[in-house]
Amino acid sequence: ATDAVAGLVGRYHEAAALDGVLLNCCHSLAQAKAIVAEGVPVCVGAEGPVTDGGALLYASEFWTGVAAGHSLRRAHNLATHALARASKRDDYRCVVSAAPREVPPETPSDEPPPLRPYQSRIASEVVATFAAEGDEGTEGNAIVVLPTGAGKTRIAHEVACRVGPPVLFLVPTRLLVSQQAEAVRAWGGLSVGEIKGQDNYAKTATALSADVVVATAESHAATGVPPSRYKLVVFDECHHVHKKHPYHAVAISIRGASSPRSRILGLTATLSYEVGSEKLEAAVQTLKAALGARLITADRPELRAGGYHAAERVADLRIEPRGGVPPSERDHSSVKEDFWARVDVGAASPFAQNLARCVALLEASLPDFVSPLRTENCGDWVGFAGARPLLADFYEALRVLVVSFEEAEDAASLLLKMSDASADEETWSPDARAAIASFVGGLSEDWPRFAQLKTVLREELDRRGESFCGVVFVQQRVTTRIVRYVVGADAALAKDIVSPRVIHAGTPPSEDVATLRAFAAGESNLLIATNKAEEGMDLPKGSVVVCFDEVLTPVSLAQSRGRARQERSEFIVLRQREDRTVRDLEAVERHQADVIAREESARGEAVQVSDAYYQAEEAAPRLLTPATLSNAAVASPPSPIHAKSARVRLKERCDCLRSTLRFQESVADGRGAALSENGHPGFVSEAWIDGKRVGNRGYGNSKAEAKENAAADAISSLDLPVTLSNAAVASPPSPIHAKSARVRLKERCDCLRSTLRFQESVADGRGAALSENGHPGFVSEAWIDGKRV
């Protein structure tokens, strides 16, 4: 390849009046750049599966565009579009390189970018919170709630610099490890290590020695280093603590460690996936309790004054009428079965009936083929097609239709239009070929939602010209293919859309990184992505962000809208659920802001720092590890300054075990008054955990007193090690509190949501040890989450 480059450059300089160099197939962009570096003004060509004829077609169209006065970028787009039309493929890559303009290099700086005013204020407040006695239910930790793109990672960097190493920076996905590490490293002041889960021992050891260790919770757990080793632990996208996520176990480990404990900093744009007001408030309290943290944010005026504008975006709704099964008749638990029931009685849409008939004819063409359509999950159908691309396309189109309750007829039709009807032609019967030709030939390519998308892109291109930068969010990876096809098939769009790229669950992390860099560098001006790119991924600012499919959660709304953070950018939604509209999700965001505002108002404006806090914490830690309290005797009474109500302590214990707690009052007179035959005056209450009553009834002169007494009795009746929040531990433990090792191990696994089982030897069916072990009697092994421990 080096000789070929040298030869081409020599021939170019020997000749006269040449405009540039054309490379044929199988050449890379790097080679084109190498040729330009040798004094050639322009080099064009093709790489990958493009044929020599395709390279010539591309070059012809490219120079035609240049001769017509187009820019090199537009000429490249026109030529790529012509090649895609001729080849009926949209995955060919053509390359073009031109001599760059002389641009003075930027002077590198070791200083991080200055903090915005709201970032500086929040960083100071977080550090003060770390040193201050928290409110009830908090332990000097903080959760920063700011919109996507408002600079939460920059705040975390500033806090890490002030607190000092070592710092653990947790992210939810492997892709984000490199991204966040790059950001922290670029801002300077701290050495940064990365742990991705597939590193060798030496590389992991080097990473662990850095000031800041960036890792997923799983990859860091594999190192065996306890999170409590770090002075500060950052949870990026900390709303995941709500779910059965590795973050939850890390939070329990940190808060269960003996003093001094690591401080926790949570970062998120949205506190919960919940939509209802009551559920949202409960989820917020659960998140605060899990991290032992208070909430810190900035309101819209403060963000606007600091130069952030995306929080003010109100979605521009361009909703087209929806079809398919009426929402009132949709049952997500039986979507496949209901679809085939409609097909069997002829109640499905004409499109669905015809599509099902074509698929049946394709299957009938294959001897001894067993159809997976009624017995297997929809997502597995394509795998049964094997090396039959036409059948795979029809299976995928049918899946798209089924899971959308026959609503996505537009996407299914376009997917079939994209397919090659002549593929494996000899495999299919004449009836199947005739039916497919008639069916696919009669399908339309003009669908309202896709037409609306093209209109939006055209408007923005006309308004912004070469500064256009668009992001289209979709729900399924197949839709990324369809959208790219629709954009490429429109000649007016194709000449201005530069190399549209896709990101979805199937694209490898290395390709995602390359895609994002190309997008940021302007080599591509349209990104089509699933929700893989919504959360955490550092997308460049978009001049227009389009949600092609429904926005399902407040998290998705905040993440997608946060990409439209240029001052005059647009955020457009093309589809919404009738029972969960965009306006409903915006209302949830406002309610979240109200929850935070109420907390700030209740706390007061200042965070008071108390030196006595550290002395009290060292003498009597407020939360003790569940792993070491199994046999502890509790000294009483606890210090009054740390006293918590029995209800709060019982709630903490249930939260740690992911159990549901409720208090049930007597229904004697509708007010909770005790029945006279109990012999107790006033009110009565019972504590119920996971649907079972725990402890005796509590009585009191008020409902609150009755609940408190019921909670206290429930705590005394439980022998769990989870939340002796106010206890000082005396040793040695009292024998009356001793538990077997099996019970203690089971409780520890329950707290961490792990699965425990004991496996006996199969030597003689009774668990008797093999004689060669040298141990008499029986043998057993403890297995946790599939691994022997």
Side-chain angles (χ1 to χ4, degrees):
T2 303
D3 293 340
V5 168
L8 281 168
V9 171
R11 291 290 299 275
Y12 169 81
H13 288 300
E14 289 173 5
L18 294 182
D19 294 314
V21 169
L22 163 68
L23 298 174
N24 64 338
C25 65
C26 302
H27 286 82
S28 67
L29 181 59
Q31 288 174 310
K33 289 181 176 179
I35 290 174
V36 169
E38 296 295 329
V40 177
V42 178
C43 179
V44 298
E47 63 181 10
V50 183
T51 62
D52 286 352
L56 288 169
L57 173 61
Y58 166 82
S60 172
E61 295 290 336
F62 178 85
W63 292 117
T64 299
V66 171
H70 295 307
S71 66
L72 295 183
R73 172 186 286 185
R74 178 163 292 191
H76 172 65
N77 292 340
L78 289 170
T80 303
H81 175 58
L83 179 60
R85 278 186 302 178
S87 60
K88 295 185 178 180
R89 294 182 60 162
D90 61 355
D91 59 344
Y92 283 158
R93 277 181 57 86
C94 299
V95 297
V96 58
S97 183
R101 293 174 297 173
E102 290 297 326
V103 179
E106 294 184 3
T107 303
S109 173
D110 294 332
E111 293 296 321
L115 293 170
R116 294 173 176 175
Y118 65 82
Q119 291 175 324
S120 178
R121 191 265 302 169
I122 290 175
S124 297
E125 198 166 341
V126 168
V127 173
T129 300
F130 288 165
E133 175 64 40
D135 305 326
E136 183 174 336
T138 73
E139 298 174 9
N141 301 320
I143 299 173
V144 173
V145 187
L146 286 175
T148 300
K152 295 185 289 292
T153 306
R154 180 68 179 90
I155 292 172
H157 172 268
E158 180 67 19
V159 171
C161 289
R162 297 189 193 183
V163 172
V167 176
L168 175 60
F169 197 120
L170 294 177
V171 296
T173 64
R174 286 179 57 199
L175 176 62
L176 296 180
V177 172
S178 298
Q179 175 185 293
Q180 298 297 58
E182 275 187 26
V184 176
R185 192 178 291 118
W187 291 324
L190 297 165
S191 61
V192 183
E194 304 175 34
I195 300 176
K196 297 180 180 179
Q198 296 179 339
D199 304 322
N200 59 36
Y201 176 82
K203 191 172 182 180
T204 299
T206 301
L208 289 170
S209 67
D211 296 334
V212 179
V213 178
V214 185
T216 64
E218 302 96 319
S219 62
H220 186 269
T223 67
V225 177
S228 56
R229 163 187 180 266
Y230 301 91
K231 292 176 67 175
L232 171 66
V233 178
V234 180
F235 287 79
D236 195 18
E237 309 296 345
C238 67
H239 54 268
H240 286 298
V241 175
H242 282 307
K243 302 180 293 184
K244 189 178 180 181
H245 191 277
Y247 274 7
H248 183 74
V250 177
I252 290 177
S253 172
I254 294 171
R255 297 186 62 214
S258 58
S259 180
R261 287 192 309 275
S262 306
R263 290 306 184 196
I264 292 175
L265 174 60
L267 308 175
T268 187
T270 309
L271 292 169
S272 172
Y273 290 87
E274 300 293 350
V275 175
S277 297
E278 293 183 1
K279 289 183 177 180
L280 172 63
E281 297 211 17
V284 171
Q285 296 308 315
T286 300
L287 178 61
K288 288 173 55 184
L291 297 181
R294 57 165 291 221
L295 307 177
I296 303 176
T297 190
D299 58 19
R300 288 187 177 185
E302 188 178 9
L303 290 170
R304 189 189 310 117
Y308 183 85
H309 302 279
E312 301 173 346
R313 299 280 176 266
V314 176
D316 179 3
L317 303 182
R318 306 190 187 183
I319 310 298
E320 295 293 333
R322 303 179 69 152
V325 178
S328 60
E329 299 176 15
R330 298 183 180 188
D331 184 352
H332 290 271
S333 65
S334 58
V335 57
K336 181 187 70 176
E337 292 76 9
D338 292 347
F339 172 80
W340 289 116
R342 292 192 299 272
V343 169
D344 290 342
V345 299
S349 68
F351 176 83
Q353 297 284 166
N354 287 326
L355 178 56
R357 175 174 170 268
C358 288
V359 172
L361 289 171
L362 288 173
E363 292 178 333
S365 302
L366 303 173
D368 302 323
F369 182 79
V370 179
S371 173
L373 299 181
R374 297 181 185 248
T375 58
E376 304 294 334
N377 292 328
C378 298
D380 298 330
W381 289 349
V382 172
F384 286 86
R388 306 179 187 94
L390 184 62
L391 181 60
D393 285 341
F394 269 79
Y395 274 169
E396 184 69 358
L398 187 61
R399 184 197 66 81
V400 168
L401 192 68
V402 170
V403 299
S404 68
F405 295 94
E406 302 179 46
E407 187 176 303
E409 185 176 328
D410 51 0
S413 297
L414 289 168
L415 183 59
L416 295 175
K417 281 289 191 181
M418 294 166 57
S419 66
D420 184 2
S422 64
D424 304 319
E425 189 170 3
E426 69 283 354
T427 305
W428 316 116
S429 68
D431 288 343
R433 292 200 300 268
I436 288 171
S438 175
F439 177 55
V440 175
L443 295 177
S444 172
E445 292 195 27
D446 186 17
W447 294 93
R449 186 163 53 129
F450 287 92
Q452 185 69 268
L453 173 63
K454 292 192 289 185
T455 299
V456 168
L457 295 178
R458 184 71 265 163
E459 290 174 352
E460 291 299 311
L461 283 165
D462 291 342
R463 185 155 67 100
R464 300 178 186 275
E466 294 197 358
S467 66
F468 168 84
C469 181
V471 181
V472 179
F473 284 115
V474 300
Q475 284 185 6
Q476 302 182 55
R477 70 171 71 180
V478 66
T479 314
T480 63
R481 287 178 51 203
I482 298 170
V483 170
R484 186 165 66 172
Y485 167 79
V486 168
V487 171
D490 187 291
L493 286 176
K495 66 182 181 182
D496 293 319
I497 297 293
V498 180
S499 184
R501 304 289 183 95
V502 300
I503 289 180
H504 53 67
T507 51
S510 58
E511 185 176 324
D512 293 337
V513 171
T515 293
L516 292 176
R517 287 176 176 166
F519 192 63
E523 297 172 16
S524 170
N525 63 0
L526 182 66
L527 180 65
I528 308 160
T530 62
N531 60 1
K532 180 182 181 180
E534 278 185 355
E535 186 170 85
M537 195 175 287
D538 188 18
L539 294 181
K541 301 175 183 178
S543 58
V544 59
V545 174
V546 181
C547 291
F548 186 75
D549 293 313
E550 301 96 333
V551 183
L552 299 179
T553 68
V555 173
S556 291
L557 179 64
Q559 298 284 359
S560 55
R561 185 186 55 213
R563 310 304 175 187
R565 56 184 186 268
Q566 291 184 5
E567 190 167 355
R568 288 180 294 277
S569 55
E570 297 290 338
F571 176 57
I572 298 169
V573 178
L574 300 185
R575 175 162 285 182
Q576 64 181 355
R577 277 175 47 169
E578 294 182 5
D579 61 336
R580 187 177 294 185
T581 67
V582 173
R583 300 305 180 221
D584 292 337
L585 299 178
E586 290 173 343
V588 172
E589 290 186 313
R590 291 192 295 271
H591 186 70
Q592 173 182 287
D594 291 341
V595 171
I596 300 173
R598 287 202 305 270
E599 174 177 307
E600 292 296 299
S601 176
R603 287 189 72 260
E605 295 181 357
V607 177
Q608 299 298 325
V609 181
S610 171
D611 292 336
Y613 165 76
Y614 297 102
Q615 301 168 6
E617 183 175 352
E618 186 174 357
R622 289 173 296 144
L623 183 63
L624 305 176
T625 171
T628 58
L629 289 180
S630 299
N631 301 319
V634 179
S636 60
S639 170
I641 193 171
H642 290 113
K644 293 182 181 179
S645 70
R647 278 188 290 168
V648 170
R649 287 183 284 136
L650 183 60
K651 180 66 166 60
E652 288 177 344
R653 182 176 301 185
C654 291
D655 286 343
C656 184
L657 293 177
R658 311 292 279 181
S659 294
T660 302
L661 168 67
R662 66 182 177 88
F663 288 94
Q664 181 171 308
E665 298 172 349
S666 168
V667 295
D669 60 3
R671 299 184 301 111
L675 299 173
S676 59
E677 56 263 34
N678 289 332
H680 296 281
F683 296 83
V684 63
S685 184
E686 301 169 348
W688 288 67
I689 299 177
D690 289 338
K692 296 182 180 180
R693 196 180 86 178
V694 179
N696 297 316
R697 286 179 170 178
Y699 300 92
N701 294 321
S702 67
K703 291 182 180 180
E705 184 180 354
K707 287 182 178 180
E708 181 69 12
N709 290 332
D713 197 83
I715 290 175
S716 65
S717 68
L718 292 172
D719 195 15
L720 296 177
V722 177
T723 51
L724 300 179
S725 299
N726 302 319
V729 179
S731 63
S734 169
I736 196 170
H737 288 110
K739 294 181 180 179
S740 70
R742 276 187 296 167
V743 171
R744 286 183 284 133
L745 182 60
K746 180 65 167 62
E747 289 174 348
R748 185 179 302 184
C749 290
D750 287 344
C751 187
L752 296 177
R753 308 291 284 178
S754 294
T755 302
L756 169 67
R757 66 183 176 88
F758 290 92
Q759 181 171 307
E760 296 177 341
S761 167
V762 294
D764 61 3
R766 300 184 302 112
L770 299 175
S771 58
E772 58 263 27
N773 290 334
H775 297 282
F778 296 85
V779 63
S780 186
E781 301 170 347
W783 288 68
I784 299 177
D785 289 339
K787 295 182 180 179
R788 197 179 82 176
V789 179

